Amino acid sequence: MRRPCATAIALGLLLTAGAARAQSSAGADAFDFLRLDANARAVGLGGAYTALATDSNALLYNPAGLARVRSSEATLMHNQYALGINQQYIGVALKRGLGFQFNYATLGDVPRTTIADPDGTGNHLNVSDTSLGAGYGWEMSPDLALGAGLKYFTETLADVSVSGYAADIGGLYRMPDIKGLVFGASLLNIGPPVKFASTAEKLPTTLRLGTAYGLKIPHNDVTLALDFTKGVLDKIRVGLGAETVFDEHFAVRAGFTTRQDAGVGLAFGLGWIGRKIGADYAFVPMGG
């Protein structure tokens, strides 16, 4: 599927760990927005994208994918979550190597709570997160690609703002004897703890391992993907996705993830792949 310039639109009803942390003082990691999906195709595949990220979203999942971008492209994404959470993402990948990203998420006005007023003081806090990043991918051989990235991020909670740096590394390996089979691995958000108020918060460093298999049948391209992710303080999470593309233009996707903050775990997606521009949509239903 060729995408010289892709515009991705993600509209998901999804409760994130970041929202839970903003409204509760216990049990969640800092800088959770660094782990948010910001790609409608990946969301529709249950987050199973480590071996498929050979596009302008590579810096989110596996920077090695930048080495396999054949035409310069850009992604523009708006993500609408539950509880008024909004996310905007811009990703740019230049032909064979260089990539950039901008990621912004806001939780809007979150009720302020204290020990004396656990139900709220009547005041509200503004919570927002921003990151800027760049990376590069190297084609080491026809089958092996490696990549690395660096990002600067800030998190603001009311009148308190902190910032830091994190690195990402990754690799992709295409099986030479099995056409269409790819393995991917990445380690994301590598960096030292960042002091937030009086507490040193660990970054959400995450290991991703994935595989994908693509095959062609008459008039259709079919892709199957499987991912395992492990965060510093998380259990192993599994993502599974399937995609079929009809006549090289219309894509239908379905996925499943064991992420506890991803609704009921199911995901669905649609996509249109044009010669110069494409559009993707993903929907994640919330549980009852």
Side-chain angles (χ1 to χ4, degrees):
M1 292 178 293
R2 187 182 178 191
R3 293 187 175 191
C5 179
T7 301
I9 304 171
L11 300 174
L13 300 178
L14 178 64
L15 174 63
T16 70
R21 182 170 58 83
Q23 298 180 66
S24 171
S25 60
D29 302 337
F31 316 110
D32 279 333
F33 84 104
L34 294 173
R35 301 189 300 177
L36 288 179
D37 285 311
N39 173 9
R41 185 185 180 205
V43 171
L45 292 170
Y49 212 64
T50 305
L52 293 174
T54 56
D55 53 26
S56 50
N57 301 288
L59 286 174
L60 287 172
Y61 301 94
N62 189 346
L66 291 170
R68 294 183 177 167
V69 174
R70 300 305 183 223
S71 300
S72 297
E73 63 176 65
T75 292
L76 308 175
M77 189 279 302
H78 170 73
N79 218 345
Q80 181 67 55
Y81 288 92
L83 303 181
I85 305 167
N86 288 280
Q87 182 187 16
Q88 324 298 329
Y89 174 80
I90 300 173
V92 177
L94 304 182
K95 184 178 179 180
R96 292 185 180 274
L98 190 61
F100 304 92
Q101 67 168 347
F102 169 77
N103 198 359
Y104 175 75
T106 177
L107 305 186
D109 292 328
V110 177
R112 182 190 291 268
T113 61
T114 65
I115 296 176
D117 296 293
D119 295 326
T121 63
N123 297 321
H124 291 78
L125 305 174
N126 183 267
V127 182
S128 62
D129 304 280
T130 305
S131 72
L132 291 167
Y136 192 82
W138 297 267
E139 193 92 59
M140 308 302 292
S141 73
D143 300 316
L144 177 65
L146 300 177
L150 183 67
K151 69 188 73 167
Y152 169 79
F153 60 87
T154 64
E155 181 162 297
T156 301
L157 176 61
D159 55 352
V160 178
S161 182
V162 297
S163 60
Y165 293 89
D168 308 311
I169 57 174
L172 283 172
Y173 183 71
R174 190 161 40 203
M175 291 293 290
D177 299 326
I178 306 177
K179 185 177 181 180
L181 182 61
V182 181
F183 293 94
S186 61
L187 188 61
L188 308 177
N189 306 317
I190 309 164
V194 176
K195 191 172 183 180
F196 202 121
S198 60
T199 304
E201 299 281 3
K202 293 182 179 180
L203 299 187
T205 303
T206 302
L207 173 66
R208 301 181 65 105
L209 301 174
T211 185
Y213 181 65
L215 65 154
K216 290 183 177 291
I217 59 177
H219 307 294
N220 291 55
D221 293 328
V222 177
T223 301
L224 305 175
L226 174 67
D227 262 29
F228 298 91
T229 63
K230 177 66 172 72
V232 173
L233 301 176
D234 295 332
K235 297 179 180 179
I236 295 176
R237 295 172 173 177
V238 180
L240 179 67
E243 174 187 71
T244 182
V245 179
F246 301 95
D247 294 322
E248 299 185 349
H249 290 294
F250 183 66
V252 177
R253 306 177 184 111
F256 175 79
T257 176
T258 61
R259 281 181 58 167
Q260 295 179 353
D261 59 2
V264 296
L266 298 175
F268 306 95
L270 299 172
W272 171 259
I273 304 162
R275 294 185 61 186
K276 294 292 184 180
I277 191 169
D280 294 293
Y281 170 84
F283 174 72
V284 180
M286 294 295 294

